[in-house]
Amino acid sequence: MQRQAQLNRAEFEDLDDELRVQYEGFRPGMYVRLEITGLPCEFVTNFDPHYPVILGGLWASEGNVGYLQMRLKKHRWYDRILKTRDPLILSLGWRRFQTIPLYHIEDHNGRHRLLKYTPMHMHCGATIWGPITPQGTGFLAVQSVAGTQASFRIAATGVVLDLDKSVTIVKKLKLIGYPYKIFKNTAFIKGMFNTVLEVAKFEGASLRTVSGVRGQIKKALRTPLGAFRATFEDRLLMSDIVFLRSWFPVSVPQLYNPVTSLLCPVGQKDTWSGMKTVGQLRHELGLHRKPDKDSLYKPVVRMKRHFNPLHIPKQLQKALPFKSKPKQFQQKGKVPRDLQRPAVIKEPHERKVAALLNALSTVHGYKQKRARSKQHQKHKEFLKQKEQEEVDKLKRQKEAHKKMYRTMGQKEKKQQKSSLRGVAKND
């Protein structure tokens, strides 16, 4: 065997590596042999040597699965916004897997508020159930790895922030009730809760009416079930609607579905599709979403409210100034028929006279209008002439001032020269 190896080496020594591999195959030192345990049988039966396989290693702690806190931003070139609870395929570290993210944003008070959609041009938080990955690891997200797309495919990018499952994501819950008894600032509210136990959980919670009156839940009532006593800043009306703003915790769906495209048959490795979104299923099945009746716009019919007339006590009326005192106005009735002005019917001669006077007044008005426009034009020309005269006057005054200052300067120079000569003679 050693002699044969030396002969082979001497024979193929001058050949190129590619030709040499074709004749004698891969020599020891040109390949690595790996033994992988626990592989599915489909990986071997559907193995395609032309399809690349990337091998990577994981630390011992990275084999666990848990909650991941991420910072995510929708890619600016992706043409759709991402919806909470829509499955997303993440490429994170050595793994590609499908999961269901919950998008949220942190308020100024530290509350993590659930978002229905990702913001357009800013980051948001995302919580997923996935493999434990070191902090600071970047990732990218796509919605599908099957086939090719004409548009941009990368849906979002981001980074892993924390491995903390204690972050509670909450969404807003608005409970509505209606008053059925009102005593000054106290009112009995029904329709908001169903049992006494529910009311007991919310004792002391702040309430608010649509008109802006604030209040507080005090105590549950025996009947009807779910009714309670509440106090408010001001007296309520029976037409008021009372609502309670609360926050409801949302649980993160535990979906971790690795992308098993290497197990697909040869030629179908680019057709792997995992869990579909609700929109895709509706589009494929031809289903249309039935709108909620409460979400549809309805014509607003408001009952006309009749307010009681303003009553001012007599003692207060005496103290008021005259302009603020209520006046007793009598409504004007209809003018009797005999007092109405009768219609005047003109004779033919009177009609001719009225028409002539109307024509004369029209001609007179036209002449007056022409005279006014002529006078206006003359006035404009006069103002223009006055302005030109003013400019010429200022020009003359400027020239005169220059001449005067020139002569004064010459005189001062002469005086200085004569004084200098006198000083020189004295010396």
Side-chain angles (χ1 to χ4, degrees):
M1 285 174 66
Q2 191 175 358
R3 201 179 306 118
Q4 186 64 41
Q6 287 176 357
L7 279 171
N8 290 346
R9 199 178 301 117
E11 185 69 27
F12 298 115
E13 198 169 6
D14 299 331
L15 290 177
D16 190 23
D17 275 347
E18 291 184 5
L19 277 171
R20 198 168 170 182
V21 165
Q22 290 177 13
Y23 283 112
E24 62 173 353
F26 290 101
R27 302 186 308 279
M30 293 185 71
Y31 61 89
V32 177
R33 184 183 179 191
L34 296 172
E35 186 176 347
I36 305 171
T37 57
L39 265 179
C41 63
E42 289 86 359
F43 182 82
V44 179
T45 55
N46 298 329
F47 182 72
D48 184 3
H50 301 95
Y51 197 84
V53 178
I54 300 173
L55 295 176
L58 298 172
W59 295 105
S61 60
E62 291 178 355
N64 301 325
V65 181
Y67 292 102
L68 296 180
Q69 306 295 328
M70 299 174 163
R71 184 171 62 240
L72 175 139
K73 185 181 181 185
K74 185 191 85 71
H75 202 285
R76 65 171 68 185
W77 293 346
Y78 194 66
D79 56 354
R80 296 180 184 178
I81 56 174
L82 305 177
K83 187 179 178 183
T84 289
R85 294 183 185 277
D86 267 1
L88 208 61
I89 297 172
L90 300 184
S91 175
L92 178 64
W94 287 108
R95 291 185 173 96
R96 278 196 312 169
F97 60 92
Q98 191 176 44
T99 185
I100 296 178
L102 288 187
Y103 306 121
H104 54 86
I105 196 164
E106 188 173 357
D107 291 336
H108 62 279
N109 55 1
R111 181 194 296 125
H112 292 269
R113 179 165 47 87
L114 182 73
L115 296 175
K116 194 171 183 181
Y117 300 99
T118 53
M120 287 296 290
H121 302 294
M122 61 180 285
H123 290 86
C124 69
T127 303
I128 65 163
W129 174 262
I132 302 299
T133 312
Q135 298 176 10
T137 306
F139 68 89
L140 63 85
V142 293
Q143 284 202 317
S144 174
V145 292
T148 56
Q149 294 181 8
S151 58
F152 197 73
R153 194 172 64 160
I154 297 174
T157 55
V159 66
V160 177
L161 292 180
D162 203 357
L163 312 174
D164 185 13
K165 67 175 183 179
S166 64
V167 174
T168 306
I169 303 170
V170 292
K171 69 176 181 180
K172 189 162 57 174
L173 180 66
K174 218 178 227 185
L175 303 174
I176 298 174
Y178 306 93
Y180 70 96
K181 276 188 186 179
I182 298 169
F183 311 95
K184 283 195 177 180
N185 290 9
T186 304
F188 291 173
I189 312 295
K190 66 175 182 179
M192 190 176 287
F193 302 108
N194 295 321
T195 60
V196 178
L197 186 62
E198 288 180 5
V199 180
K201 285 183 180 178
F202 284 91
E203 276 185 12
S206 58
L207 300 171
R208 199 180 188 89
T209 66
V210 176
S211 55
V213 181
R214 293 174 296 185
Q216 191 179 24
I217 296 175
K218 289 296 181 184
K219 199 79 175 174
L221 301 175
R222 290 181 181 176
T223 54
L225 281 174
F228 59 90
R229 176 172 57 86
T231 57
F232 293 89
E233 293 175 330
D234 198 3
R235 183 184 172 88
L236 295 190
L237 299 173
M238 291 299 286
S239 58
D240 273 327
I241 299 172
V242 183
F243 60 88
L244 167 69
R245 282 186 65 185
S246 58
W247 299 93
F248 179 75
V250 183
S251 59
V252 180
Q254 295 187 359
L255 174 72
Y256 170 61
N257 183 19
V259 177
T260 55
S261 57
L262 293 174
L263 306 183
C264 297
V266 177
Q268 299 181 17
K269 297 192 184 295
D270 292 336
T271 60
W272 185 90
S273 63
M275 184 178 177
K276 295 180 181 178
T277 63
V278 179
Q280 287 173 344
L281 290 172
R282 280 195 185 131
H283 179 70
E284 290 173 6
L285 300 173
L287 299 175
H288 297 284
R289 185 179 179 276
K290 293 180 181 178
D292 190 2
K293 289 182 180 178
D294 294 335
S295 301
L296 296 173
Y297 288 101
K298 302 167 191 169
V300 180
V301 180
R302 300 188 191 280
M303 297 291 292
K304 192 173 180 181
R305 297 187 65 181
H306 299 281
F307 296 96
N308 296 328
L310 181 65
H311 174 69
I312 303 173
K314 289 183 178 179
Q315 293 294 328
L316 182 59
Q317 285 186 29
K318 288 179 184 178
L320 289 173
F322 179 75
K323 67 175 183 180
S324 301
K325 286 183 180 180
K327 315 294 190 299
Q328 301 295 329
F329 295 109
Q330 291 184 353
Q331 291 184 353
K332 290 183 178 180
K334 289 185 178 180
V335 180
R337 192 153 191 173
D338 56 338
L339 295 178
Q340 289 178 2
R341 186 171 179 177
V344 178
I345 301 171
K346 295 179 181 179
E347 295 291 328
H349 174 67
E350 289 176 340
R351 284 201 209 106
K352 287 180 183 178
V353 171
L356 180 62
L357 288 172
N358 193 15
L360 288 172
S361 65
T362 305
V363 171
H364 178 68
Y366 179 69
K367 285 181 179 178
Q368 290 276 43
K369 189 176 180 182
R370 280 183 63 188
R372 277 197 297 272
S373 64
K374 202 171 182 181
Q375 181 65 26
H376 184 64
Q377 188 67 26
K378 277 185 180 180
H379 186 63
K380 276 178 76 176
E381 289 174 1
F382 173 73
L383 289 175
K384 201 172 182 181
Q385 188 180 354
K386 287 282 285 179
E387 191 177 350
Q388 187 61 37
E389 287 176 1
E390 195 71 28
V391 170
D392 294 341
K393 183 182 174 183
L394 287 170
K395 199 172 180 182
R396 286 197 303 274
Q397 285 179 356
K398 202 171 183 181
E399 290 293 331
H401 286 155
K402 277 185 180 179
K403 199 171 182 181
M404 185 177 67
Y405 291 141
R406 199 181 298 121
T407 54
M408 286 173 66
Q410 288 172 358
K411 280 181 183 179
E412 284 180 4
K413 278 184 181 179
K414 283 180 182 179
Q415 286 176 4
Q416 285 178 0
K417 280 181 182 180
S418 61
S419 62
L420 287 170
R421 283 173 192 165
V423 172
K425 285 178 182 179
N426 294 332
D427 292 342

